[in-house]
């Protein structure tokens, strides 16, 4: 892998660095080098660098950076819309955005990936799954057989049953689940813990209107 420049320096960057270390430990031939970080706010970078133990390689703002094919680039934040906005300006440059897949991921040999995807530990990617670009899939998520996923989606320990279709820039809250053959459009926010059992169009927020009361029975 080419020397890596992180676009952004949030908690996601910290997690990805730890997973890169896992990849290197799993296969020492897969070495990596962190060249530096881009952040539009140097003070924010310094705060995050101290918090997460980043090497203090501040390279300046995203807007002013001279992007180069000599480096690999990785998004160090989660926002689907934020990543999409930046990537749209970089597309003509044909840069290297590697897929980063933790060694513990169960990844079917018939699944297909675009570029710039990050898949966290213990996730499962099933047979004949098609995943586009720049998706972030956090730990213990599952994407079952024949699902089609677009670009810039964020799945937070989420589950997609078979034949689900998802377009772009959707945010799936933690432990949200989609039943088989449901179709979801773009720019939607899915509440944590919800089960999606019907199609969702675009620009929707899907949530429970009323919270169920939790009863506790003492032993």
């Amino acid at each position: 892998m080419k020397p890596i420049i992180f676009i952004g320096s949030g908690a996601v960057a910290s997690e990805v660095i730890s997973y890169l270390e896992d990849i290197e430990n799993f296969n020492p031939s897969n070495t990596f080098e962190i060249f530096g970080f881009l952040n539009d706010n140097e003070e924010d970078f310094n705060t995050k660098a101290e918090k997460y133990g980043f090497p203090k390689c501040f390279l300046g703002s995203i807007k002013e950076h001279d992007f180069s094919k000599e480096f690999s680039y990785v998004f160090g934040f989660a926002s689907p819309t934020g990543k999409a906005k930046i990537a749209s300006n970089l597309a003509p440059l044909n840069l290297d955005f590697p897929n980063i897949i933790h060694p513990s991921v169960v990844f079917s040999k018939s699944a297909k990936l675009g570029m710039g995807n990050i898949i966290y530990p213990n996730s499962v990617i099933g047979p004949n799954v098609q995943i586009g670009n720049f998706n972030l899939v956090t730990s213990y998520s599952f994407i079952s057989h024949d699902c089609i996923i677009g670009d810039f989606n964020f799945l937070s320990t989420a589950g997609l049953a078979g034949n689900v279709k998802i377009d772009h820039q959707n945010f799936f809250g933690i432990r949200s689940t989609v039943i088989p053959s449901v179709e979801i459009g773009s720019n939607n926010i899915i509440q944590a813990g919800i089960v999606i059992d019907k199609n969702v169009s675009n620009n929707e927020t899907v949530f429970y209107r009323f919270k169920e009361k939790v009863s506790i029975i003492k032993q």
Side-chain angles (χ1 to χ4, degrees):
M1 186 181 295
K2 301 175 184 178
I4 295 171
I5 293 177
F6 277 89
I7 303 174
S9 55
V12 168
S14 176
E15 291 176 323
V16 172
I17 289 171
S18 72
Y19 301 149
L20 287 169
E21 292 170 350
D22 290 342
I23 292 171
E24 188 174 85
N25 291 334
F26 182 78
N27 185 353
S29 65
N30 289 331
T31 59
F32 68 94
E33 173 193 352
I34 306 300
F35 188 82
F37 299 81
L38 302 175
N39 191 318
D40 290 335
N41 185 324
E42 185 173 3
E43 183 178 349
D44 177 69
F45 168 76
N46 289 332
T47 299
K48 298 291 176 58
E50 182 176 355
K51 180 178 182 180
Y52 297 118
F54 294 149
K56 294 198 174 182
C57 304
F58 178 68
L59 302 178
S61 70
I62 299 169
K63 293 181 180 179
E64 296 176 353
H65 178 67
D66 185 16
F67 284 87
S68 169
K69 294 182 180 180
E70 295 180 5
F71 300 100
S72 293
Y73 291 91
V74 176
F75 281 107
F77 63 96
S79 168
T81 54
K83 289 193 290 185
K85 183 177 180 180
I86 294 171
S88 65
N89 294 325
L90 299 179
L93 301 178
N94 195 27
L95 299 170
D96 179 36
F97 286 91
N99 292 308
I100 298 174
I101 304 173
H102 192 269
S104 64
V105 172
V106 178
F107 195 94
S108 173
K109 63 181 180 181
S110 60
K112 296 180 181 179
L113 278 177
M115 66 179 181
N117 297 287
I118 301 172
I119 304 179
Y120 282 21
N122 300 302
S123 296
V124 179
I125 310 299
N128 201 39
V129 166
Q130 299 178 45
I131 299 176
N133 305 316
F134 302 108
N135 296 284
L136 179 59
V137 180
T138 73
S139 299
Y140 295 97
S141 295
F142 66 87
I143 301 176
S144 298
H145 66 90
D146 300 296
C147 286
I148 300 175
I149 313 299
D151 305 328
F152 302 105
N153 295 291
F154 177 74
L155 278 69
S156 179
T157 313
L160 308 181
N163 292 295
V164 167
K165 294 182 180 180
I166 295 172
D167 287 339
H168 315 300
Q169 298 181 47
N170 295 288
F171 184 96
F172 288 81
I174 191 168
R175 294 294 183 187
S176 54
T177 310
V178 184
I179 70 167
S181 302
V182 164
E183 297 187 11
I184 296 176
S186 298
N187 303 303
N188 297 294
I189 299 174
I190 312 299
Q191 176 189 336
I194 199 168
V195 177
I196 303 295
D197 59 0
K198 60 184 67 177
N199 293 345
V200 178
S201 56
N202 302 311
N203 305 303
E204 304 282 358
T205 298
V206 184
F207 63 98
Y208 290 115
R209 186 174 182 183
F210 300 104
K211 294 285 188 180
E212 294 182 1
K213 182 178 179 181
V214 177
S215 298
I216 300 175
I217 301 175
K218 294 184 179 181
Q219 300 295 324

